[in-house]
């Protein structure tokens, strides 16, 4: 996949972190994880509200380099996670519907982070 769209360029990248309710199969974040893995991506799981100990609570705890963050969490938690992502060097944020806010967009703009609003499943042509 090629093109000038930031989302297309992000979808070409290999190392992703999905931030949301990634373990709950009834939630969209879980489907995004499955979709990215099926597309051959390395996916780190992050849920700031996790109580299982099975995923990272903050992207700063991920031990591998992340190319793109897929944000699919409420904007309050998202703002904290985006700041953490910026702090560890992430410069690409894919924001799913409903996860954005003016504060997140301002933070990204102030730090030179490329933002794309979209749905991974739609853009990878996966039925959902």
């Amino acid at each position: 996949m090629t093109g000038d769209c930031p989302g297309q360029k992000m979808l070409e990248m290999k190392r992703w972190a999905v931030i949301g309710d990634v373990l709950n199969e009834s939630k969209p974040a879980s489907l995004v994880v499955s979709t990215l893995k099926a597309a051959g991506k390395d996916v780190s799981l992050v849920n700031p509200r996790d109580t299982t100990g099975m995923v990272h609570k903050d992207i700063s705890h991920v031990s591998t380099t992340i190319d793109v963050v897929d944000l699919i969490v409420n904007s309050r938690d998202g703002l904290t996670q985006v700041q953490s992502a910026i702090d560890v060097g992430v410069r690409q944020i894919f924001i799913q519907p409903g996860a954005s806010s003016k504060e997140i967009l301002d933070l990204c703009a102030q730090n030179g982070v490329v933002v794309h609003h979209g749905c991974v499943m739609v853009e990878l042509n996966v039925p959902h």
Side-chain angles (χ1 to χ4, degrees):
M1 184 179 289
T2 58
D4 293 332
C5 175
Q8 290 177 335
K9 290 179 182 180
M10 290 178 195
L11 289 170
E12 293 172 1
M13 297 179 177
K14 178 81 172 157
R15 299 168 302 203
W16 286 65
V18 176
I19 302 175
D21 196 356
V22 294
L23 296 180
N24 185 340
E25 292 182 7
S26 70
K27 296 290 186 169
S30 177
L31 188 52
V32 169
V33 169
S34 299
T35 300
L36 289 169
K37 286 183 176 182
K41 310 302 181 190
D42 297 330
V43 183
S44 297
L45 308 180
V46 179
N47 181 352
R49 296 176 182 222
D50 179 64
T51 59
T52 67
M54 297 172 57
V55 302
H56 304 286
K57 289 188 90 150
D58 189 278
I59 194 166
S60 65
H61 301 149
V62 175
S63 61
T64 59
T65 301
I66 300 297
D67 299 319
V68 183
V69 163
D70 183 89
L71 195 63
I72 188 165
V73 68
N74 71 66
S75 60
R76 184 186 66 246
D77 289 337
L79 183 61
T80 302
Q81 293 297 318
V82 168
Q83 181 63 63
S84 291
I86 290 167
D87 291 346
V88 298
V90 174
R91 294 294 176 256
Q92 310 282 330
I93 308 281
F94 196 110
I95 302 178
Q96 298 281 146
S100 190
S101 71
K102 180 182 183 323
E103 293 80 10
I104 288 172
L105 297 177
D106 289 348
L107 180 62
C108 289
Q110 293 163 6
N111 288 278
V113 174
V114 177
V115 170
H116 175 71
H117 288 89
C119 174
V120 165
M121 294 167 296
V122 169
E123 295 188 32
L124 288 175
N125 296 313
V126 174
H128 57 285

